[in-house]
Amino acid sequence: MADYLIGDIQGCYDSLQALLKKINFSLDKDQLFFLGDVVNRGDKSLETLRFIRDNSDNTSMVLGNHDFHLLACVFGSIRPSNKDTFTDVINAKDASLLLEFLANQPLFIQHQDALMVHAGIPPNWDLNTLKSQAQQVQAHLQSDDLSGFLSKMYNNNPYTWAEDLSELEQCQYTINALMRLRFCKANGELEFKHKMNFNQAPSGYKAWFEYENRVLKNTDIFFGHWSTLENVNQAHIYPMDHGCIWGGELSAIRLSDKRIFSLKC
Ligand SMILES: [Mn+2]
């Protein structure tokens, strides 16, 4: 019996199946946790999403920015770009089931002593803030006004966390932080432009996990989203997007011993 955590699949269903074969994944015994961005950019978003939903007794996932983008395109007022490749999901006969399933997925998972999130956790957030903020967004995603909510959520503002933000501003910040964070300031001010490795941070910023006084620095955190990360040697920090969609690798990490299994894509 093993728990495996898998980084960004982005519709690379064939790579996922090859990786599951490589780790001898068993639906009878093992559990899979997907770290978000299960859809988009690759050519089999539909198969990937169906696999996760059909096997939901053995699979869990957190929402990534691409998963959220799909929801915003279907239910919100966002138009897909010509780089988006999820029309297979939108046109599927089981689309409404799959999209409802996606809208019900969490922004983070706490399992044993580990936290899983798509992009990162602001350095100044404690576990209670993470939980309450993620749950606040999830309640909106499950409400009757999903369309209205998603239409208001596609925004870079506010860049910085503050307790006195309005509820909708808190949701905007939380979505951007948990699903898009790479570089930020110690107060959680987000930076959205740069995607290079952590040791090339833009002036005034650091990778979110590099802050000395980060509140959750003694908790194991598994995340995806940042495919250019290399040589991160930070206790309790496990970057798992190894760039499958960009010709890199798809990787699974076994929770019990932190062993990583990778497959060239
Ligand atoms: Mn992402």
Side-chain angles (χ1 to χ4, degrees):
M1 223 176 97
D3 295 333
Y4 294 97
L5 286 57
I6 298 181
D8 307 33
I9 303 166
Q10 300 206 242
C12 296
Y13 178 74
D14 297 337
S15 297
L16 171 63
Q17 290 306 318
L19 180 63
L20 296 184
K21 205 168 171 187
K22 182 168 180 168
I23 62 177
N24 286 319
F25 174 70
S26 159
L27 275 171
D28 299 330
K29 295 186 299 196
D30 302 327
Q31 290 282 332
L32 297 177
F33 296 85
F34 296 104
L35 297 168
D37 282 359
V38 299
V39 299
N40 209 7
R41 298 289 183 268
D43 61 358
K44 292 190 178 170
S45 293
L46 176 59
E47 286 85 346
T48 306
L49 202 48
R50 274 187 186 148
F51 174 82
I52 296 171
R53 181 178 176 273
D54 290 348
N55 296 295
S56 55
D57 286 350
N58 297 73
T59 62
S60 311
M61 66 171 281
V62 294
L63 286 171
N65 55 304
H66 284 284
D67 312 311
F68 188 78
H69 179 62
L70 169 57
L71 291 173
C73 288
V74 174
F75 298 110
S77 50
I78 306 303
R79 292 173 65 94
S81 87
N82 54 13
K83 286 196 242 162
D84 292 331
T85 61
F86 43 51
T87 46
D88 54 348
V89 176
I90 296 171
N91 295 329
K93 59 181 187 318
D94 51 347
S96 59
L97 284 176
L98 293 169
L99 292 162
E100 192 195 327
F101 170 79
L102 200 58
N104 276 285
Q105 299 311 304
L107 279 73
F108 88 105
I109 292 173
Q110 186 176 24
H111 176 67
Q112 298 175 1
D113 294 327
L115 295 178
M116 307 172 205
V117 62
H118 178 60
I121 301 170
N124 53 339
W125 275 19
D126 59 16
L127 188 57
N128 282 335
T129 308
L130 172 66
K131 278 185 187 168
S132 61
Q133 289 306 310
Q135 281 162 6
Q136 181 168 269
V137 172
Q138 228 188 319
H140 280 283
L141 291 176
Q142 293 166 2
S143 77
D144 293 336
D145 189 27
L146 177 61
S147 291
F149 177 69
L150 287 171
S151 298
K152 289 179 216 127
M153 283 303 110
Y154 223 78
N155 200 317
N156 283 350
N157 290 310
Y159 286 85
T160 309
W161 170 248
E163 303 257 343
D164 61 358
L165 295 176
S166 72
E167 183 173 331
L168 284 180
E169 287 170 331
Q170 289 189 356
C171 289
Q172 284 174 322
Y173 178 83
T174 299
I175 288 166
N176 284 328
L178 301 187
M179 297 188 204
R180 296 171 66 197
L181 182 54
R182 289 186 185 94
F183 298 107
C184 66
K185 292 187 177 171
N187 66 358
E189 182 181 319
L190 306 170
E191 201 277 347
F192 293 111
K193 278 197 216 105
H194 293 87
K195 299 182 175 186
M196 64 282 260
N197 198 9
F198 73 101
N199 52 13
Q200 298 164 274
S203 167
Y205 296 88
K206 284 192 210 177
W208 63 269
F209 50 79
E210 278 205 298
Y211 284 96
E212 285 281 316
N213 297 322
R214 191 166 55 83
V215 181
L216 289 168
K217 71 176 176 183
N218 295 318
T219 304
D220 286 346
I221 300 176
F222 297 84
F223 61 102
H225 186 61
W226 198 340
S227 65
T228 55
L229 276 185
E230 278 182 340
N231 304 317
V232 175
N233 188 13
Q234 192 93 29
H236 303 291
I237 288 294
Y238 298 92
M240 291 304 300
D241 180 2
H242 298 167
C244 177
I245 188 64
W246 311 114
E249 295 178 328
L250 186 66
S251 298
I253 185 166
R254 188 163 58 198
L255 194 56
S256 57
D257 60 359
K258 311 292 197 301
R259 180 169 166 198
I260 293 178
F261 303 83
S262 294
L263 179 100
K264 183 92 184 81
C265 294

